[in-house]
Amino acid sequence: MKFAVMMSRFTLCVSLFLSLGAAPIHAAAPYEIDETPAREKEWGFRPAVDETLHETPPGFCWRPQRGAAVYELQCSREKDFARIGYQADGIEFNVHAPAETLPEGEWYWRFRFRDKQGAESEWSLPRRFTIAPGANELPLPAKADLLARIPTEHPRLFVRPEEIAEYRRRAQSDLKPRFDALVDQCEKLIKNPPPTSEPPLYPDDVERKSEEWREIWWGNRTYTISALNGAATLAFTRLIGGKEEYGQLAKRILMDCAEWNPTGATGFRYNDEAGMPYNYYFSRTYTFVNDLLSEAEKEKCRAVMRIRGQEMYDHLYPKQFWTPYESHANRAWHFLGEVGIAFLGEIPEAGDWAWFAANEFKCVYPVWSDSDGGWHEGNSYWNSYMARFTWWADVMRVAMGIDAFKKPYFAQVGYYPLYLMPPGTQGGGFGDLNGYRKSENNVPLMSILAAQARNPYWEWYVETQGGPTEDNGYIGFIRGALPQVEPKAPTGLPTSRAFHGVGQAMLNTNLLDAKDNVEVVFKSSPFGTQSHGYESQNSFLLYAFGERLFIRTGRRDIYGSPHHQNWMWHTKSTNCVTINGEGQIKHSAAAVGEISRFETGEYVDYVEGEAGQAYGGKLERFTRRILFIKPYAVVVFDTLKAPKPVSFEWRLHAVNEMKVHSALDVREVNGAAACKVSFLWPRDLSLSQTDRFDPPPRERIKLVEYHLTATPENRSETQNFVTVFQPYRSSETMDRTPSIEEIAGGFAVTVPTPDGETKLLLQNDAGTLIEGLGLKGEASVIGALSRSGERVSFEY
């Protein structure tokens, strides 16, 4: 009886519950989202919170989630996602690029995932971002749609089958000089074909990175390129009207190289410097010579490239989407993309490789940069990696219909060399292998970028340095069909520019000709000292009249050698400050700096950096302020604070021996340029100079550079340095001497110039009233300059 009553009451309660329209009860989501912010070397959640984007749609990226099989993404105008503006489900990667644009304005995004059993996680936190007005439209088609754009027939790389007839016609008309150059190359290859026996492995007893190891490592790369790029040249030339024997030799070389062990001496993991060019040159040859291959020969090529391609993919995916800060991987991904396109529909995994490369481009690449066009690893690596990327830009445009130059970085990419190395500049700024670069070294790449992006300023940069360097290869032939770009001098552009995302600023007086330019290059980077951008934060360079004056030092003998690690990666090799002889954290993403302020004007430029964190606890503060009184003087004002009394060593490096007359008169001369350096503060400096590297490079490197150290007499917890550089032409004299006076709260500095003088007040922190020299204010830097009777005041 009691049981019946209880059941009746339970049934009544259930009926009432359902009749009131109550929502059914669901079990809590079994997974929480890992919202851990990006750690060192991680890409991070993108778009970042409150980021403003000049590209629509953005590429989304989130931390890979444990247990995830697929992801779901939502975008909304409302933080509570009451209305969904965009939604995608079944996402296989931890990145996503919508196939449609998002309108300008404020948005929120979030994601969740499902495991293999279909259990869902909770939603991530909403992250707000903004699409800027006029943002470039760069959607990425869905996978099936994107792959359907790629030709089913060959060729597929750089040219499409339907374009061949037009290229054949132009090879006998406006492009005939380029075609004749290709024929000349092919005739030389016919007469002297490249060897195709498999290159050697490293001997068992060889020491890694020894000179013997280096010769095999790099030698196998050049050997592979000689064979397979030669084959690609032969195959392409035959395709657009060259002799049949060109194609037959290309086929023979291709099939000979197909016999090499895919995981041997030229395997990607064994030697990626040989493995990468093998893969993309093999793929190009395959697609250019495809019509001459038998089905058995095609199957042999597919079997080889399936192994090689999967080896690359397994190395790159999934880590490249979340931990992309590996140097070689940032070219390997688009080489894999070429393999995927060439073998789409012929190797089962090829579609995945091409799709991976498209997502890497849209959502992650380039990693060593900001949207302003800077490059953390420096000019040499910028040239190397961007030159190779331009291949992918061509391939992607032709095969997939995607314009790389709609991405904000690539729309700005040519301004980095233009500001770093105005025409005639000697010296390539910060980064590995940059010390002896010249502005003309940028011309081949800049000519390609100018044509691809249709940018008149970049074309001017090329034309003012003798015009484009002729590329007589098959890619040069194809690019010869691009329309000409009318050059425009950068006379309307500011002469100085900061690339905030990579923490580099270039302060110039003249972008037109380095012979009339004085330039300060400053670094304080959020990328730290990792990879090939290893120089210390708050370091600077000074170039004048086309010459290098004060430099970063050393020359790489081989990557990671004792000289490379213990001189070039060390703060002592740069124009910076060491503490008890020790420097910033070497070769680490943790050694971060920041450009905290940048201003540019007609008479004065100003840049300020903070680098205390880069010292790993040895310093609490290192604020460096650089005031450029254009073009006459550079004032460097340093504020340092340590947790205990230390020795502060102010480092300065030069091309030639510095003549030390006194602390107020140190001279450097290099060719047409000279500079007087005055160490105004502190007054008790001890100066020493040497031409020794510690440790030196290998014997084959013949290099002499000079290193000056200025050390205060006493150890202390805090220290200010005030140093003035006065560049001048070596054919002239420099007899002007700046002066300093310690005043309440800071310093009063007077810098004479040819047509007047500049008066400055300097203090460590803004907010306190400071007075002197007829000036007063609360800023960190307060100044007034007189020039030809005109007075200009400024504060920073």
Side-chain angles (χ1 to χ4, degrees):
M1 181 66 177
K2 289 181 179 179
F3 177 78
V5 172
M6 291 173 63
M7 284 301 296
S8 176
R9 290 174 177 171
F10 175 80
T11 302
L12 177 62
C13 289
V14 171
S15 298
L16 287 170
F17 182 84
L18 295 176
S19 70
L20 292 172
I25 298 174
H26 290 296
Y31 298 104
E32 292 183 357
I33 293 290
D34 183 356
E35 302 273 8
T36 306
R39 304 182 183 94
E40 185 177 326
K41 294 186 178 294
E42 292 182 338
W43 185 235
F45 292 87
R46 309 286 177 115
V49 174
D50 291 331
E51 182 176 3
T52 297
L53 300 150
H54 297 272
E55 173 186 352
T56 180
F60 295 91
C61 181
W62 53 88
R63 178 176 293 282
Q65 302 293 311
R66 185 181 298 276
V70 293
Y71 295 94
E72 181 180 357
L73 176 92
Q74 289 183 344
C75 297
S76 175
R77 296 285 198 176
E78 290 87 28
K79 188 175 182 179
D80 62 2
F81 286 77
R83 290 178 295 174
I84 305 302
Y86 174 79
Q87 183 165 346
D89 201 353
I91 301 168
E92 60 183 308
F93 300 144
N94 64 299
V95 300
H96 176 67
E100 61 190 68
T101 61
L102 300 183
E104 67 179 67
E106 188 174 285
W107 288 86
Y108 295 86
W109 71 278
R110 66 182 184 179
F111 73 95
R112 66 180 176 182
F113 67 88
R114 292 193 302 275
D115 66 14
K116 292 180 179 179
Q117 289 71 43
E120 293 179 335
S121 72
E122 60 186 21
W123 284 103
S124 71
L125 297 173
R127 290 174 167 84
R128 183 172 60 186
F129 66 96
T130 300
I131 302 292
N136 293 346
E137 295 185 358
L138 189 61
L140 181 68
K143 183 178 182 180
D145 296 334
L146 182 75
L147 298 183
R149 296 182 176 189
I150 299 170
T152 56
E153 302 299 322
H154 293 273
R156 300 173 180 176
L157 299 174
F158 299 100
V159 292
R160 299 175 69 92
E162 61 268 27
E163 296 172 339
I164 294 301
E166 177 64 9
Y167 279 118
R168 285 175 177 167
R169 183 191 69 79
R170 295 187 69 175
Q172 300 306 316
S173 57
D174 61 313
L175 297 181
K176 191 174 189 305
R178 293 178 182 267
F179 178 72
D180 290 344
L182 283 174
V183 169
D184 287 345
Q185 293 175 56
C186 291
E187 288 297 319
K188 291 176 182 177
L189 288 165
I190 290 288
K191 185 177 180 180
N192 186 25
T196 56
S197 57
E198 186 168 3
L201 297 167
Y202 302 118
D204 291 339
D205 59 350
V206 73
E207 179 185 348
R208 180 173 170 78
K209 299 196 175 182
S210 65
E211 290 298 293
E212 180 186 3
W213 178 93
R214 177 178 171 272
E215 288 181 10
I216 298 170
W217 166 70
W218 199 255
N220 284 1
R221 171 186 169 82
T222 57
Y223 181 93
T224 300
I225 292 172
S226 175
L228 283 170
N229 193 37
T233 300
L234 289 158
F236 180 83
T237 307
R238 173 257 172 188
L239 192 64
I240 58 168
K243 295 177 183 177
E244 194 66 19
E245 64 181 311
Y246 298 166
Q248 294 300 326
L249 178 55
K251 172 181 170 179
R252 197 263 293 169
I253 296 171
L254 181 75
M255 299 315 299
D256 284 354
C257 293
E259 296 298 325
W260 298 1
N261 181 354
T263 58
T266 59
F268 177 75
R269 290 190 181 275
Y270 188 84
N271 178 357
D272 63 356
E273 287 290 10
M276 287 187 284
Y278 182 106
N279 291 354
Y280 58 80
Y281 285 128
F282 190 101
S283 298
R284 295 174 190 180
T285 305
Y286 176 83
T287 200
F288 294 157
V289 81
N290 195 268
D291 63 314
L292 294 183
L293 300 175
S294 69
E295 190 57 34
E297 289 167 332
K298 291 177 184 177
E299 283 299 324
K300 173 65 176 178
C301 293
R302 294 164 187 162
V304 167
M305 291 312 297
R306 187 177 189 185
I307 295 170
R308 289 179 176 271
Q310 195 62 40
E311 183 181 45
M312 289 183 79
Y313 187 64
D314 290 343
H315 177 78
L316 295 168
Y317 175 74
K319 72 173 187 177
Q320 188 64 16
F321 288 146
W322 188 249
T323 54
Y325 296 106
E326 177 190 324
S327 185
H328 288 194
N330 280 291
R331 51 186 153 114
W333 68 266
H334 58 80
F335 299 153
L336 179 63
E338 287 196 44
V339 180
I341 291 171
F343 289 92
L344 180 66
E346 303 176 29
I347 293 175
E349 298 83 4
D352 293 337
W353 304 341
W355 179 237
F356 161 78
N359 276 271
E360 174 71 12
F361 164 74
K362 172 63 182 176
C363 300
V364 180
Y365 193 78
V367 303
W368 302 117
S369 66
D370 62 355
S371 60
D372 289 337
W375 195 258
H376 165 70
E377 293 186 304
N379 179 260
S380 178
Y381 275 81
W382 175 84
N383 264 276
S384 175
Y385 278 67
M386 286 298 100
R388 293 176 175 95
F389 175 82
T390 64
W391 299 339
W392 178 247
D394 286 338
V395 167
M396 194 166 52
R397 185 188 70 251
V398 170
M400 297 176 168
I402 296 173
D403 182 359
F405 291 88
K406 288 186 177 179
K407 196 159 193 175
Y409 170 78
F410 290 104
Q412 304 290 325
V413 62
Y415 292 112
Y416 172 64
L418 192 153
Y419 278 89
L420 175 64
M421 303 169 72
T425 299
Q426 311 288 315
F430 293 109
D432 225 351
L433 304 176
N434 284 328
Y436 295 87
R437 290 187 63 80
K438 302 177 181 180
S439 63
E440 55 260 38
N441 298 142
N442 297 317
V443 167
L445 176 55
M446 283 289 275
S447 65
I448 297 166
L449 296 173
Q452 289 179 323
R454 316 289 304 145
N455 188 293
Y457 296 118
W458 308 351
E459 182 66 22
W460 168 86
Y461 187 88
V462 172
E463 295 295 338
T464 199
Q465 297 186 86
T469 302
E470 194 75 13
D471 178 0
N472 292 324
Y474 51 91
I475 297 175
F477 174 89
I478 295 165
R479 288 172 173 166
L482 294 173
Q484 294 295 309
V485 178
E486 192 67 26
K488 182 179 180 180
T491 50
L493 299 180
T495 58
S496 302
R497 184 164 177 166
F499 297 89
H500 288 278
V502 298
Q504 293 187 36
M506 294 83 176
L507 317 181
N508 292 285
T509 59
N510 187 323
L511 292 178
L512 302 180
D513 188 346
K515 289 183 173 57
D516 295 320
N517 187 37
V518 176
E519 178 179 8
V520 179
V521 185
F522 177 73
K523 175 186 177 181
S524 199
S525 174
F527 279 96
T529 56
Q530 63 182 310
S531 190
H532 297 285
Y534 48 73
E535 289 97 345
S536 289
Q537 315 309 337
N538 280 7
S539 55
F540 69 92
L541 311 170
L542 180 61
Y543 303 155
F545 315 120
E547 305 284 3
R548 300 179 307 136
L549 285 171
F550 298 106
I551 60 175
R552 31 82 78 206
T553 58
R555 186 180 297 174
R556 191 177 89 184
D557 39 19
I558 194 167
Y559 185 85
S561 71
H563 174 70
H564 200 218
Q565 289 191 49
N566 298 321
W567 179 267
M568 299 181 74
W569 296 359
H570 196 290
T571 304
K572 65 188 177 184
S573 72
T574 62
N575 300 318
C576 200
V577 178
T578 54
I579 312 302
N580 296 331
E582 299 178 359
Q584 297 174 17
I585 306 169
K586 289 195 301 184
H587 209 239
S588 170
V592 295
E594 177 192 14
I595 292 182
S596 49
R597 187 166 182 180
F598 169 79
E599 304 284 347
T600 183
E602 181 180 0
Y603 298 117
V604 179
D605 286 346
Y606 177 78
V607 64
E608 178 180 309
E610 177 54 50
Q613 186 178 338
Y615 287 81
K618 292 188 283 290
L619 277 184
E620 297 174 359
R621 178 183 185 182
F622 176 15
T623 307
R624 171 160 278 178
R625 302 174 175 95
I626 295 181
L627 185 75
F628 186 15
I629 306 163
K630 301 191 292 189
Y632 303 122
V634 178
V635 180
V636 181
F637 173 40
D638 296 325
T639 302
L640 299 108
K641 186 177 188 303
K644 60 182 181 180
V646 296
S647 170
F648 294 95
E649 300 97 21
W650 207 95
R651 307 274 181 166
L652 187 64
H653 304 269
V655 175
N656 297 313
E657 184 177 7
M658 292 165 268
K659 303 302 181 185
V660 181
H661 302 290
S662 70
L664 296 179
D665 189 358
V666 176
R667 303 288 177 127
E668 167 67 0
V669 178
N670 185 27
C675 189
K676 177 181 179 180
V677 185
S678 299
F679 293 93
L680 298 184
W681 194 268
R683 300 187 192 278
D684 62 346
L685 285 175
S686 171
L687 304 184
S688 63
Q689 182 176 196
T690 181
D691 63 353
R692 300 296 180 91
F693 297 104
D694 180 21
R698 293 180 181 180
E699 183 63 27
R700 62 182 168 82
I701 302 295
K702 307 300 181 184
L703 179 66
V704 178
E705 292 170 332
Y706 291 85
H707 323 292
L708 184 145
T709 305
T711 309
E713 182 178 333
N714 298 312
R715 300 165 71 90
S716 62
E717 293 182 14
T718 61
Q719 185 64 61
N720 287 118
F721 291 93
V722 180
T723 312
V724 177
F725 295 78
Q726 295 172 285
Y728 61 101
R729 297 183 188 276
S730 58
S731 59
E732 301 173 353
T733 60
M734 167 59 68
D735 55 10
R736 298 183 298 274
T737 299
S739 62
I740 192 168
E741 178 185 355
E742 188 175 16
I743 60 175
F747 304 95
V749 177
T750 301
V751 181
T753 57
D755 52 1
E757 65 179 6
T758 299
K759 296 179 179 181
L760 301 171
L761 301 183
L762 310 176
Q763 63 175 337
N764 290 330
D765 296 291
T768 302
L769 182 65
I770 186 172
E771 296 185 63
L773 300 178
L775 304 172
K776 65 178 179 179
E778 296 184 357
S780 295
V781 177
I782 302 155
L785 63 84
S786 58
R787 187 165 297 181
S788 301
E790 182 180 1
R791 178 183 169 91
V792 178
S793 299
F794 50 87
E795 289 189 357
Y796 303 109

